[in-house]
Amino acid sequence: MPPIAGVELASVAAGVRYKGRTDLFLAELPPGATVAGALTKSLTASAPVEWCRRNLAEGRARAVLVNSGNANAFTGKKGYDAAVATAEAAAKAIGCEASEIFLASTGVIGELLPAQKVVDAIPALRQGLKSASWAESAKAIMTTDTFPKGATRRTRIGDVPVTINGICKGSGMIAPDMATMLGFVFTDAEIPAPVLQEMLSRGVERSFNCITVDSDTSTSDTVLLFATGKVTHPPVESAKDTHLRDFREALEDLLTDMAIQIVRDGEGAQKLVTIDVTGAASPRAAKRIGLAIANSPLVKTAIAGEDANWGRIVMAVGKSGEWADRDKLAIRIGGVEVAAEGAAVEGYDETPVVAHMKGSEILIEVDVGVGRGRSRVWTCDLTHGYIDINGSYRS
Amino acid sequence: MPPIAGVELASVAAGVRYKGRTDLFLAELPPGATVAGALTKSLTASAPVEWCRRNLAEGRARAVLVNSGNANAFTGKKGYDAAVATAEAAAKAIGCEASEIFLASTGVIGELLPAQKVVDAIPALRQGLKSASWAESAKAIMTTDTFPKGATRRTRIGDVPVTINGICKGSGMIAPDMATMLGFVFTDAEIPAPVLQEMLSRGVERSFNCITVDSDTSTSDTVLLFATGKVTHPPVESAKDTHLRDFREALEDLLTDMAIQIVRDGEGAQKLVTIDVTGAASPRAAKRIGLAIANSPLVKTAIAGEDANWGRIVMAVGKSGEWADRDKLAIRIGGVEVAAEGAAVEGYDETPVVAHMKGSEILIEVDVGVGRGRSRVWTCDLTHGYIDINGSYRS
């Protein structure tokens, strides 16, 4: 990934929980950088989420500090104090307000963050700051992830080239309801915080909020978007500016790319599943139907077993609670129509469907026959690997 | 299980799908018998569910005919015609209206019921009718169940002893939203259909609608309650009759017993999990929180791994969307307080908790600290067995 003017990165092994790997990531930003965020809707949100929520309104950022191994969630006032202590230490080192330091933590819930380990690591982190260590940064924030995740887009505002880079983590406890993982996106463009926020909220709704691994919404989900303002381009005043169109599209494309990487690395996942719902009463209804299918353990285990068991898709549509015409329902798997007008397509050619189910990317299309609402969501299969990973996570 | 005056039962191997086992069950009832039902809320309900829904309003029943191996769901008009054909054949043999024959089917979705096989088996079924073959009947309706399920209660109306027997099946595709399985309950009492319906609806809400195996609501869920009127007791006019109190309690107790048997036999289940939620804003909120915990794959895999990972319980409370005070939340596992006032109980004795997690019955108590609403739900753990069963169900 290319550098982003104004962003310097570093990661170190602070020993928060893991041994022999990096677990602390810092990105520093220049004075004047702006920030937008999308945070979990969980009512048991973590201390860092609470901290970010308080400081996002100001829209100014000088750094983001992220640890893995400990989520600092459900740790009460002590946990919040621990978060504040790390922000204050970073602010002092950088020479800014603590409110300009954004925080995220991921890992075990319910254990107090060892704040001193983080504080002690800040000098070493700052010494290692470079503009080109995106892959190392993505590694430092991993938990059960099996590969580091990142994406980059080159776009333009007016005629001026700008860059957007993002790194993220996430593998389990992934369900849509903002934002289901940690994601950090940086651009060298100069964009006011309210405009940044509008674009991020819209983009997240169509990307991170359309993925599910296991229907479990995390206490810590955080997506932050930072703009360093280091590139001079026609000024941006509103998210609706016509010269922002390319940027908006590139941002949404990048967020979708990142979201799909998370599903692809879903805990135990062997297959990436794309679900297109059409013919629903509204886009919102289509998304609910899509997620009912994507979250169904019976659909997900059938996919793991490479079984084109579309009866379970029918079941999931039925349980979604959204309006569907049972006798108009149509289902395609891998592009082949297997059910139409509320019943199996008699004598359809199973051969291409069986072959499709053996692949690593599965496409399910469902038309529920009542309107024009459509939505696309992504999930993965449910395998023995998920049980292995989550039956012994803490031990 | 004892006989119920007026009920005769039989089962045969009709070869609907399975080989070498019974798959068709008939219970015949005397003229004047009444019926109440609770049916799936799925919008893709099966043909037999549709048939029962149409005929329940009349409240009269002469038989219930149930097959396993084929759900006759998502089979369009042909499927409905197949259901009608079996009802008409049974009605002709018995000498009653087709609307007095209740139907249920369980098994694969999307394949047309071979109605002729059912019709052809009716004479043999009727020849085998007896008043004492409850266990055989429960076996005939099994699919992935590993044991037949039934319960009986002896109670009284006024001073007159009456009996209630129930059989049920269900193991996967079990989620609360009425009724998530098949259940057939019979009593020799004389109870008008509207009173029967009121008692059943109330009882189901606290039993079958409080269980979940995998959050997947079936297209075929059916609970039917029949009263033969063969015992003479003080007349029943309303569900609120004081002399019906013992009966109501016995019925609810029996329904709960049956529901718990289903969870205990959840696909791949090794542990029965009881979740008590207290301190919620309302009973409804408490139930939603309980089900969010019960349906969380991360909570269920932790239990499978015998890990008292209460952080995941916190997560599930947070994602439920119901009001909870994070900083007052308290969690007990096996009676031991592990979290209180929004944080881990420092230095709590892990020994009894570890021992409890190794047992086959797990108790989780959560107080969310905002009100007086309470609810109890039941679930099971999520194991490799569930993946095995559902990754290869059709093959």
Side-chain angles (χ1 to χ4, degrees):
Chain A
M1 286 162 65
I4 297 281
V7 181
E8 291 197 302
L9 314 163
S11 52
V12 295
V16 170
R17 179 184 188 90
Y18 306 125
K19 307 288 169 205
R21 56 158 280 191
T22 58
D23 59 358
L24 193 64
F25 156 64
L26 176 73
E28 265 190 47
L29 305 159
T34 54
V35 60
L39 303 165
T40 186
K41 288 184 189 145
S42 168
L43 295 171
T44 55
S46 68
V49 165
E50 212 178 315
W51 173 260
C52 289
R53 194 167 280 143
R54 283 189 192 182
N55 296 314
L56 270 172
E58 296 185 34
R60 287 183 291 116
R62 287 298 307 283
V64 57
L65 180 66
V66 187
N67 73 276
S68 55
N70 182 313
N72 197 8
F74 204 62
T75 45
K77 186 172 182 313
K78 282 184 191 169
Y80 191 74
D81 291 345
V84 173
T86 64
E88 284 176 348
K92 192 173 170 194
I94 294 169
C96 66
E97 303 287 325
S99 64
E100 294 175 294
I101 308 295
F102 286 77
L103 302 174
S105 297
T106 176
V108 173
I109 295 173
E111 294 182 12
L112 194 65
L113 179 74
Q116 196 58 46
K117 287 186 181 175
V118 174
V119 169
D120 290 347
I122 289 175
L125 261 179
R126 297 200 71 230
Q127 280 183 343
L129 286 169
K130 284 184 295 192
S131 61
S133 47
W134 294 94
E136 290 77 7
S137 302
K139 277 183 198 163
I141 61 174
M142 287 164 61
T143 55
T144 53
D145 304 66
T146 67
F147 58 83
K149 300 171 184 72
T152 182
R153 292 294 182 277
R154 193 83 173 138
T155 182
R156 45 185 68 232
I157 296 179
D159 283 334
V160 182
V162 297
T163 305
I164 317 174
N165 278 4
I167 59 171
C168 61
K169 67 78 56 179
S171 187
M173 209 177 276
I174 301 291
D177 207 4
M178 188 47 312
T180 70
M181 33 63 71
L182 304 186
F184 307 101
V185 184
F186 302 85
T187 178
D188 46 16
E190 185 177 0
I191 301 179
V195 177
L196 218 50
Q197 185 64 51
E198 190 174 336
M199 288 192 294
L200 179 66
S201 297
R202 185 185 171 88
V204 159
E205 203 47 53
R206 299 182 184 190
S207 55
F208 292 116
N209 277 354
C210 288
I211 62 171
T212 180
V213 167
D214 53 14
S215 81
D216 276 342
T217 303
S218 163
T219 54
S220 309
D221 301 328
T222 302
V223 177
L224 297 171
L225 167 58
F226 302 93
T228 66
K230 283 293 177 188
V231 170
T232 303
H233 49 68
V236 168
E237 288 176 359
S238 151
K240 292 179 188 68
D241 286 354
T242 51
H243 61 287
L244 255 189
R245 198 181 57 194
D246 286 354
F247 184 92
R248 280 197 307 267
E249 286 179 10
L251 176 65
E252 195 170 313
D253 194 43
L254 173 126
L255 293 171
T256 304
D257 185 343
M258 290 167 73
I260 290 176
Q261 288 184 50
I262 287 175
V263 175
R264 207 182 277 279
D265 196 22
E267 286 174 341
Q270 290 171 339
K271 294 171 195 290
L272 171 69
V273 185
T274 303
I275 300 167
D276 279 334
V277 176
T278 54
S282 67
R284 190 191 182 89
K287 190 163 168 179
R288 277 192 63 187
I289 293 168
L291 289 171
I293 299 168
N295 279 324
S296 160
L298 288 169
V299 170
K300 293 159 83 82
T301 48
I303 294 170
E306 304 185 338
D307 176 7
N309 190 328
W310 55 266
R312 296 182 183 174
I313 298 171
V314 174
M315 173 280 298
V317 171
K319 83 167 181 172
S320 73
E322 292 295 339
W323 188 32
D325 186 336
R326 189 193 65 185
D327 297 330
K328 283 191 186 160
L329 205 62
I331 298 171
R332 286 170 178 267
I333 297 177
V336 178
E337 191 159 71
V338 297
E341 295 185 359
V345 172
E346 281 186 49
Y348 78 85
D349 185 3
E350 266 212 326
T351 317
V353 177
V354 170
H356 180 75
M357 294 305 296
K358 290 191 189 302
S360 64
E361 304 211 350
I362 307 297
L363 175 63
I364 295 172
E365 295 162 283
V366 179
D367 191 292
V368 298
V370 299
R372 299 177 66 177
R374 57 170 61 224
S375 183
R376 170 174 287 188
V377 305
W378 295 272
T379 190
C380 54
D381 53 343
L382 173 57
T383 69
H384 287 295
Y386 186 86
I387 311 279
D388 282 334
I389 292 165
N390 290 302
S392 58
Y393 180 61
R394 292 205 311 180
S395 50
Chain B
M1 286 161 65
I4 297 282
V7 181
E8 291 197 303
L9 314 162
S11 52
V12 295
V16 170
R17 180 186 188 88
Y18 307 124
K19 307 289 170 206
R21 55 158 279 190
T22 58
D23 59 357
L24 193 63
F25 156 65
L26 176 73
E28 266 189 49
L29 305 159
T34 54
V35 60
L39 303 165
T40 185
K41 288 183 189 146
S42 169
L43 295 171
T44 56
S46 70
V49 165
E50 211 179 316
W51 172 262
C52 289
R53 193 166 279 143
R54 284 188 191 183
N55 295 314
L56 270 171
E58 295 184 34
R60 287 183 292 115
R62 288 297 307 283
V64 57
L65 180 65
V66 187
N67 74 273
S68 55
N70 183 313
N72 197 9
F74 203 62
T75 45
K77 186 173 181 314
K78 282 185 191 169
Y80 190 74
D81 291 346
V84 174
T86 63
E88 285 177 347
K92 194 173 170 193
I94 294 169
C96 66
E97 303 287 325
S99 64
E100 293 175 294
I101 307 296
F102 285 78
L103 302 173
S105 296
T106 174
V108 172
I109 296 173
E111 293 181 14
L112 194 64
L113 180 74
Q116 197 57 46
K117 287 186 179 173
V118 174
V119 170
D120 290 347
I122 288 174
L125 260 179
R126 297 201 70 229
Q127 280 183 344
L129 285 170
K130 287 183 293 192
S131 61
S133 48
W134 294 93
E136 291 75 6
S137 302
K139 276 183 199 163
I141 61 174
M142 287 165 60
T143 55
T144 54
D145 304 65
T146 67
F147 57 84
K149 300 171 185 71
T152 182
R153 292 292 183 278
R154 193 84 171 136
T155 181
R156 44 186 68 233
I157 295 179
D159 284 334
V160 182
V162 298
T163 305
I164 317 174
N165 278 3
I167 59 170
C168 61
K169 65 80 55 179
S171 187
M173 209 177 277
I174 301 290
D177 207 3
M178 189 42 321
T180 71
M181 34 61 73
L182 303 186
F184 307 102
V185 183
F186 303 85
T187 178
D188 45 15
E190 185 177 2
I191 302 178
V195 176
L196 218 49
Q197 186 64 49
E198 189 174 336
M199 288 193 293
L200 179 65
S201 298
R202 186 186 170 87
V204 159
E205 203 48 52
R206 299 182 185 191
S207 56
F208 292 117
N209 278 353
C210 288
I211 62 170
T212 181
V213 168
D214 53 13
S215 81
D216 276 341
T217 304
S218 165
T219 54
S220 309
D221 301 328
T222 301
V223 177
L224 297 171
L225 168 59
F226 303 93
T228 66
K230 285 291 175 189
V231 171
T232 304
H233 49 69
V236 169
E237 288 176 359
S238 152
K240 292 180 187 66
D241 285 355
T242 51
H243 61 286
L244 254 190
R245 199 181 56 193
D246 287 354
F247 185 91
R248 280 197 307 267
E249 285 179 9
L251 177 66
E252 194 169 313
D253 194 43
L254 174 125
L255 293 172
T256 303
D257 185 344
M258 290 167 73
I260 290 176
Q261 288 185 49
I262 287 176
V263 175
R264 209 182 277 278
D265 195 22
E267 287 175 340
Q270 291 172 339
K271 294 171 195 288
L272 171 69
V273 185
T274 303
I275 299 167
D276 278 335
V277 176
T278 54
S282 67
R284 189 191 182 88
K287 190 163 169 180
R288 277 193 63 188
I289 293 167
L291 289 171
I293 299 168
N295 279 324
S296 160
L298 288 170
V299 170
K300 292 161 83 84
T301 49
I303 293 168
E306 304 185 337
D307 176 7
N309 190 329
W310 54 267
R312 295 181 183 174
I313 298 171
V314 174
M315 175 280 297
V317 172
K319 82 167 181 172
S320 74
E322 292 295 339
W323 189 31
D325 186 336
R326 189 193 64 186
D327 298 330
K328 283 191 188 162
L329 205 61
I331 299 172
R332 286 170 180 268
I333 297 176
V336 178
E337 189 158 73
V338 297
E341 296 185 359
V345 172
E346 279 185 51
Y348 79 85
D349 184 4
E350 266 212 326
T351 317
V353 176
V354 169
H356 181 75
M357 294 305 296
K358 290 191 188 301
S360 64
E361 304 210 350
I362 306 297
L363 175 63
I364 295 172
E365 295 162 282
V366 179
D367 191 291
V368 299
V370 300
R372 300 177 65 177
R374 57 170 61 224
S375 183
R376 170 174 286 189
V377 304
W378 295 273
T379 190
C380 55
D381 53 343
L382 173 57
T383 69
H384 287 295
Y386 185 88
I387 311 278
D388 282 336
I389 292 165
N390 290 302
S392 59
Y393 179 63
R394 294 204 311 179
S395 50

